[in-house]
Amino acid sequence: MFTTLISSQDLRALREDSGRHSVVIDCTFDLANPAAGREAYHANHLPGAFYLHLDNELSGPKTGSNGRHPLPDPDTLTARLRALGVGADSQVIAYDAQGGMFAARLWWLLRWLGHEAVAVLDGGKNAWVAAGLPLEAGTTPEPETPGTFTRKASLVATVDAALVLANLDEPRRLVVDARAPDRFRGENETLDPVGGHIPGAVNRFFKDNLRADGSFKPAAALREEFAQVLGATPPGAAIMQCGSGVTACHNVLALEVAGLRGAALYPGSWSEWCADPARPVASGA
């Protein structure tokens, strides 16, 4: 069972193993052009892969106060995964073309629904191509088997804005922001109406989890780097957030790869936090 990352070679072997059912899902997306991911999928994708859209399927309806990518309805997502043929014992592999930026969201969501056998393709589509492995074009394939996936007890923790706000008065948890350093400082904000960060938060840009080729750094390197970020805070007392609860999942995944488990996700993240002018805002490093 693969529960964090899977290499291109291991994925190829898994897909060739008739005794192990697997489902591959393309999560490629572009925040600036929401149609681009599906278009790229139709142009070419890993053989047999399905596609799930960040805005329409991996997120729920926006209310104006719950962030840019609120969590989807769990029953709706469960039914969608079942429609793709996902079963209780299926190994699910998520990938994208952005270093796991969006695939990590699906990884986290499946764990949220209680499914342990889910992994992100390390290096994504680019690593698959670099390994000389084939792509195919066309529309969504038919599921290999009928889906039997059902929701189970969650394998991940979440916190809401109220808990984060209460933590400001009696800090017992450390908030870790996955956005780029300039946005964390309150500079060059183009996605949300207010720049800055949650008071007391520290910054760990999600792209710092990756090597130059877009694959994840080794576990030992991630463990050392996150130890510097967390300081004396144990992973189970850390809260991961970002702009809208998407790239924060990348940090949760990196922590899991490093063997530092238990961090919670603040799904609403900065886009929800800053929607309420009564919540305090910090700026600078």
Side-chain angles (χ1 to χ4, degrees), residues 2-283:
F2 297 90
T3 59
T4 53
L5 300 173
I6 185 171
S7 70
S8 295
Q9 296 299 341
D10 283 341
L11 176 54
R12 180 179 67 171
L14 177 68
R15 297 293 277 173
E16 293 173 350
D17 182 358
S18 59
R20 185 77 172 98
H21 183 250
S22 59
V23 178
V24 179
I25 301 176
D26 188 324
C27 303
T28 301
F29 194 74
D30 184 342
L31 292 171
N33 181 5
R38 195 179 297 277
E39 292 170 358
Y41 167 81
H42 287 307
N44 55 63
H45 52 263
L46 270 64
F50 299 93
Y51 182 79
L52 289 179
H53 191 278
L54 174 64
D55 286 348
N56 302 335
E57 294 164 303
L58 302 183
S59 301
K62 292 182 286 188
T63 64
S65 62
N66 63 348
R68 286 184 282 108
H69 292 109
L71 294 181
D73 175 76
D75 293 331
T76 300
L77 180 58
T78 295
R80 184 72 184 100
L81 291 165
R82 193 160 49 237
L84 300 185
V86 177
D89 299 320
S90 297
Q91 174 68 61
V92 181
I93 299 91
Y95 79 90
D96 58 34
Q98 292 90 6
M101 178 178 181
F102 303 108
R105 167 77 163 201
L106 178 57
W107 171 84
W108 187 91
L109 285 172
L110 272 157
R111 292 174 62 81
W112 179 56
L113 296 177
H115 193 74
E116 187 177 10
V118 54
V120 169
L121 176 60
D122 196 13
K125 183 178 179 181
N126 295 337
W128 180 268
V129 172
L133 299 171
L135 298 172
E136 67 180 18
T139 56
T140 303
E142 292 295 322
E144 296 176 6
T145 60
T148 58
F149 180 70
T150 56
R151 185 183 178 193
K152 303 182 182 68
S154 180
L155 301 173
V156 292
T158 60
V159 300
D160 59 14
L163 188 148
V164 177
L165 184 62
N167 187 67
L168 298 182
D169 295 328
E170 289 188 50
R172 297 180 179 178
R173 299 187 180 219
L174 179 66
V175 176
V176 180
D177 192 321
R179 293 176 298 162
D182 59 338
R183 291 185 64 211
F184 176 81
R185 294 191 300 266
E187 304 164 4
N188 306 318
E189 181 57 68
T190 59
L191 295 173
D192 294 304
V194 179
H197 59 263
I198 296 170
V202 297
N203 188 212
R204 167 67 180 190
F205 187 26
F206 81 94
K207 288 187 178 179
D208 289 341
N209 300 326
L210 303 173
R211 294 183 281 202
D213 64 357
S215 64
F216 276 73
K217 292 176 179 175
L222 290 171
R223 191 157 49 245
E224 179 179 351
E225 292 177 12
F226 270 100
Q228 296 175 12
V229 173
L230 297 176
T233 303
I239 297 171
M240 300 294 123
Q241 56 96 186
C242 55
S244 64
V246 175
T247 58
C249 298
H250 201 279
N251 275 353
V252 178
L253 174 57
L255 283 164
E256 289 277 336
V257 172
L260 303 172
R261 299 178 176 87
L265 177 73
Y266 170 29
S269 286
W270 179 249
S271 56
E272 177 186 68
W273 183 267
C274 73
D276 184 347
R279 296 185 186 124
V281 171
S283 60

